[in-house]
Amino acid sequence: METYSHYNREEGWRRICEILASEGDGTDLLAMAHRLTRQLVRSPRDPWLRLARGVVETDLGRFEQAFQDFAYVERNARMPWLKAFSRGLLNELERWQLSVLSTLLSEDRAFRTAFRADARKALRDRGFCLSPMGHELLGALERTVLRNTALPPGLA
């Protein structure tokens, strides 16, 4: 049985980068996402196409689609290292979203107001997609923002 290792992470990123390079120069991410989607229609079970599209969707700020792509691979991967690789991408996506959320809460008054009124709606409107653990953290964050206290360490 293969284990998840530094080599496996490098191999995973190498495969994703090869797919992305074959799809263009990266200047038109929207077109790249469309091409990857067309390829997935022909090969819906290809985990590498799905992971590559998830990376592009993350860059486009389409966190829900990226989350779905990474989660699909994690659920359906037969190789333990591929399952772990996609789990790592999900974790990284969550960290990125929480970083963006922290910035929005500290710098965007309109978003902060919308967040105070209805946090889940404010997140949906901006395209965020959090895991169950992320939603637990969101609950703590809502209480913090509603009380007008400082953001928790790591989110400030």
Side-chain angles (χ1 to χ4, degrees), residues 113-128:
T113 301
F115 186 87
R116 283 185 177 128
D118 185 343
R120 282 166 177 56
K121 181 179 182 323
L123 293 180
R124 267 192 321 275
D125 290 349
R126 293 285 182 118
F128 288 97

Side-chain angles (χ1 to χ4, degrees), residues 61-116:
R62 297 184 199 177
F63 302 132
E64 184 173 1
Q65 181 62 52
F67 187 92
Q68 289 172 5
D69 282 339
F70 298 154
Y72 176 90
V73 174
E74 183 189 28
R75 278 192 314 275
N76 295 295
R78 292 187 178 146
M79 296 175 288
W81 76 267
L82 181 56
K83 188 177 286 285
F85 182 73
S86 55
R87 167 54 41 201
L89 291 173
L90 278 165
N91 290 338
E92 190 60 34
L93 175 62
E94 184 121 275
R95 279 190 296 275
W96 171 249
Q97 289 182 91
L98 291 171
S99 171
V100 171
L101 177 57
S102 174
T103 301
L104 285 171
L105 287 170
S106 63
E107 297 178 7
D108 186 329
R109 185 178 303 171
F111 179 77
R112 193 169 43 250
T113 301
F115 186 87
R116 283 185 177 128

Side-chain angles (χ1 to χ4, degrees), residues 11-83:
E11 176 64 13
W13 278 110
R14 184 189 64 75
R15 289 186 184 187
I16 289 171
C17 288
E18 284 176 355
I19 291 169
L20 295 178
S22 72
E23 291 304 315
D25 62 5
T27 57
D28 188 351
L29 293 174
L30 193 55
M32 187 180 289
H34 289 305
R35 286 192 299 273
L36 288 167
T37 298
R38 282 195 304 273
Q39 286 188 43
L40 278 164
V41 168
R42 291 189 297 270
S43 304
R45 296 178 203 259
D46 185 323
W48 300 107
L49 286 175
R50 199 164 292 275
L51 292 174
R53 184 177 69 176
V55 168
V56 172
E57 295 290 357
T58 299
D59 286 346
L60 286 168
R62 297 184 199 177
F63 302 132
E64 184 173 1
Q65 181 62 52
F67 187 92
Q68 289 172 5
D69 282 339
F70 298 154
Y72 176 90
V73 174
E74 183 189 28
R75 278 192 314 275
N76 295 295
R78 292 187 178 146
M79 296 175 288
W81 76 267
L82 181 56
K83 188 177 286 285

